[in-house]
Amino acid sequence: MKIVRWFIGVSGGVLVALWVVVAVGSRTSVLREALLDALREKLDTDVELQSFEADMFPLVRITGTGLKLRLRGQRESRPLIEVASFEVQSGIWGLLQRPRRFKAVTLEGLKISIPPRSPHDRESARAAAVESTEGPVVIDEVIAHNAQLVLIPRRADKDPKQFDIYDLHLESVGFNRAMPFRAALTNPVPKGLINTTGTFGPWRAAEPGDTPAKGAYTFKNVDLNTIKGLAGTLSSDGEFSGKLAEIDVNGKTSTPDFSIDVGGRPVPLVTQFHAVVDGTDGDTYLRRVDAKFLDTALTATGAITGRPGIKGRTIQLDVQIDGGKIDDVLRLAVKSANPVMSGALALQTSLLIPPGPARIADRMELEGHFAIAECRFTDPAVHSRLVTLSRHSQGKDTDDPAGRVLSNMRGQFSVNAGTVRFKTLTFEVPGAAVHLAGDYGLRSEQLNFAGTFSMQATISEAVGGGVKGALLKAVDPIFKKGGHGAVVPIRIHGTREKPEFGLDVKKSLGIGS
């Protein structure tokens, strides 16, 4: 009797399977319409399908070409999803389950274009969307090779941002669930390979930008040379969470050979950052960046965004350095092998780098102030001159001990079109102070400054007395001003390597500048 029951059960199963094959196989058009209805209802889309074939024996195999899905009411001409061809595999029993279960879907020529949506689009989509607690289809695995993700900006004057996705794997795919994924894709600028894993979904038909996503990423061998004006090879890793239109990212970067095109040398740069990325247009908002190069740390906040009518992205940051080192900054910004000075640096500045074909040194704009404490010039000849200057400014003789000669420097500056302009620049050594205003060319290294040189001593005391000092006593009243022994108008010109100092004769005589 057991054998009979087993035989009847197997025979019945075979008959049922044959019936399914015959019934379903003869109803390819029904399957086609079931697929289109599911896509229309669950993705809230209008669907086009060029061809559709279904083979039911020995395994279920469904193929199709020319699949296009457009959001209802979508104004963007590009479809939301395009698939050149697809293949679906399943067992007979998978079609009999609820929800229907498929083993694998392979996609070729997948292109996803995420459009911006106006408030009107969102409201109409929400009204049309059908809420469901259970989708009609579950797919064990979706595989896509050489796919594309295109982010269409809200502003019509901005170019779409395109990501080439080499491999995309989705697991347990359904309309109503978070789907595990892994993907490898190329970031266009800066160019590099991103590997990421995480979960995506459930899909928000009314507003794709609200679809949840979270996971982790690695960004390796990133060529910063693809950003005009930067150089180096960057690596980064981190985690992200949120929704497509507002992805919260926490990560870190390391660039052992970072440099900028103002003429400096490569330095190691590491950062930790917290950013919010608008996945629908690529705009990035930096909540906080903690960076360190050599022995100098800085913090920054700001944004990297597109602007109406301008191709490319604009970088806008507020930067602060407390307890940094001026020699580190000079290594990054100046051609010289050895920094001309060392000292403790404090700096606050706003930084703006608009897009464009010119180098960063010619595009960047800064506005801020700085202070350098206990500054020491590394060139022995310059240091010797400062010692002599300090000694004479105090009215000391040549052989009198000068003491520890360290200077302080502070100023207000701006940078535009490759030129640094100093609204104020103050330089102090014991017994003397220099107050200047002027500019310095980042590329030409040309100096053009004018100001005053104030001494504790008078002119006659500064020359060391004697006959020369006695003769100059007559001019002491001309230069005596504001409680100083002497205030002398000066000019500085020439180049950074060969500066030329001179007395501003006209000013000193009170006949103009």
Side-chain angles (χ1 to χ4, degrees):
M1 291 301 296
K2 289 182 179 180
I3 294 175
V4 172
R5 286 197 298 271
W6 178 84
F7 178 77
I8 293 173
V10 171
S11 300
V14 170
L15 290 174
V16 170
L18 291 174
W19 176 82
V20 170
V21 169
V22 173
V24 178
S26 63
R27 298 171 64 194
T28 298
S29 60
V30 175
L31 274 179
R32 176 191 176 105
E33 289 307 312
L35 170 65
L36 299 183
D37 288 343
L39 293 174
R40 291 187 188 106
E41 178 183 353
K42 299 305 176 183
L43 293 182
D44 190 30
T45 57
D46 296 320
V47 184
E48 297 178 25
L49 182 59
Q50 184 175 349
S51 68
F52 183 89
E53 299 290 338
D55 297 326
M56 310 312 262
F57 189 82
L59 295 175
V60 178
R61 180 176 175 270
I62 301 171
T63 59
T65 61
L67 177 63
K68 296 181 180 180
L69 291 78
R70 287 184 172 82
L71 293 172
R72 289 174 185 165
Q74 175 181 320
R75 300 180 182 181
E76 170 62 38
S77 59
R78 309 180 195 210
L80 171 68
I81 297 174
E82 298 176 74
V83 179
S85 63
F86 63 87
E87 179 178 314
V88 181
Q89 295 181 0
S90 179
I92 292 297
W93 301 116
L95 292 181
L96 300 178
Q97 297 178 15
R98 289 293 184 272
R100 291 185 174 88
R101 195 168 199 97
F102 296 91
K103 293 178 61 176
V105 173
T106 302
L107 305 175
E108 297 293 340
L110 171 65
K111 186 174 184 179
I112 303 173
S113 301
I114 304 295
R117 309 207 78 189
S118 68
H120 175 268
D121 291 335
R122 286 193 288 270
E123 290 304 320
S124 61
R126 288 191 182 98
V130 176
E131 297 297 330
S132 175
T133 58
E134 182 179 19
V137 174
V138 174
I139 304 168
D140 291 339
E141 183 179 31
V142 174
I143 303 171
H145 300 298
N146 299 320
Q148 287 184 346
L149 173 63
V150 180
L151 304 179
I152 302 171
R154 293 186 180 91
R155 295 185 290 270
D157 56 310
K158 290 179 60 178
D159 292 332
K161 191 169 186 179
Q162 179 175 304
F163 297 87
D164 294 324
I165 305 173
Y166 291 114
D167 289 291
L168 172 64
H169 293 254
L170 286 164
E171 300 175 7
S172 187
V173 178
F175 295 111
N176 63 331
R177 62 186 64 197
M179 298 164 279
F181 74 88
R182 67 181 187 274
L185 61 151
T186 297
N187 190 68
V189 179
K191 188 174 182 180
L193 182 65
I194 300 174
N195 284 286
T196 178
T197 59
T199 59
F200 174 81
W203 177 261
R204 302 296 192 222
E207 176 53 86
D210 288 341
T211 301
K214 67 177 181 178
Y217 75 90
T218 61
F219 193 17
K220 299 296 184 183
N221 300 318
V222 184
D223 184 6
L224 293 182
N225 291 277
T226 54
I227 301 177
K228 187 178 291 294
L230 297 184
T233 302
L234 175 145
S235 296
S236 177
D237 60 78
E239 298 179 344
F240 60 88
S241 62
K243 55 186 181 180
L244 283 182
E246 191 174 336
I247 303 174
D248 197 83
V249 184
N250 286 280
K252 57 185 179 180
T253 73
S254 175
T255 311
D257 54 350
F258 176 78
S259 66
I260 55 179
D261 68 359
V262 294
R265 293 172 173 266
V267 299
L269 172 68
V270 295
T271 73
Q272 287 189 319
F273 65 89
H274 173 209
V276 175
V277 180
D278 186 337
T280 63
D281 64 12
D283 286 350
T284 300
Y285 302 90
L286 300 170
R287 300 299 189 228
R288 182 181 176 93
V289 178
D290 292 293
K292 185 175 182 180
F293 60 98
L294 301 174
D295 294 321
T296 295
L298 63 84
T299 59
T301 59
I304 305 172
T305 59
R307 291 191 170 187
I310 301 175
K311 183 178 180 180
R313 298 194 177 274
T314 297
I315 301 172
Q316 192 162 12
L317 301 174
D318 290 319
V319 181
Q320 180 167 334
I321 296 176
D322 294 311
K325 297 176 67 174
I326 183 60
D327 32 329
D328 291 345
V329 175
L330 292 174
R331 282 190 178 92
L332 180 62
V334 180
K335 296 177 183 178
S336 176
N338 296 312
V340 296
M341 67 176 72
S342 62
L345 171 67
L347 176 143
Q348 285 188 328
T349 185
S350 61
L351 168 66
L352 175 67
I353 305 178
R359 294 185 176 185
I360 280 185
D362 300 317
R363 286 186 286 131
M364 69 177 179
E365 301 174 17
L366 293 96
E367 186 84 32
H369 61 271
F370 72 94
I372 306 172
E374 297 190 338
C375 175
R376 181 180 178 88
F377 286 84
T378 56
D379 188 321
V382 174
H383 181 71
S384 177
R385 291 178 185 176
L386 287 176
V387 170
T388 301
L389 174 67
S390 177
R391 184 185 287 117
H392 289 175
S393 298
Q394 297 175 77
K396 294 181 178 180
D397 293 333
T398 304
D399 55 354
D400 287 341
R404 188 165 180 253
V405 178
L406 296 173
S407 59
N408 295 313
M409 187 180 293
R410 66 182 62 87
Q412 291 181 290
F413 68 95
S414 63
V415 177
N416 188 277
T419 300
V420 186
R421 292 179 173 82
F422 291 91
K423 184 178 181 180
T424 61
L425 179 60
T426 302
F427 176 73
E428 299 172 349
V429 295
V434 178
H435 298 270
L436 297 171
D439 54 66
Y440 169 71
L442 288 173
R443 295 199 175 281
S444 66
E445 298 188 335
Q446 289 288 324
L447 300 164
N448 183 23
F449 289 90
T452 59
F453 172 52
S454 304
M455 296 188 295
Q456 178 181 315
T458 64
I459 294 291
S460 60
E461 291 170 341
V463 299
V467 176
K468 187 183 291 187
L471 292 174
L472 289 173
K473 281 185 178 293
V475 300
D476 281 347
I478 298 176
F479 296 98
K480 194 173 181 65
K481 188 183 297 183
H484 297 281
V487 178
V488 181
I490 59 171
R491 297 186 68 88
I492 302 174
H493 54 95
T495 65
R496 180 186 63 81
E497 291 189 350
K498 294 182 179 181
E500 298 179 18
F501 302 85
L503 177 66
D504 192 330
V505 178
K506 290 184 179 180
K507 279 192 175 181
S508 65
L509 296 177
I511 59 175
S513 58

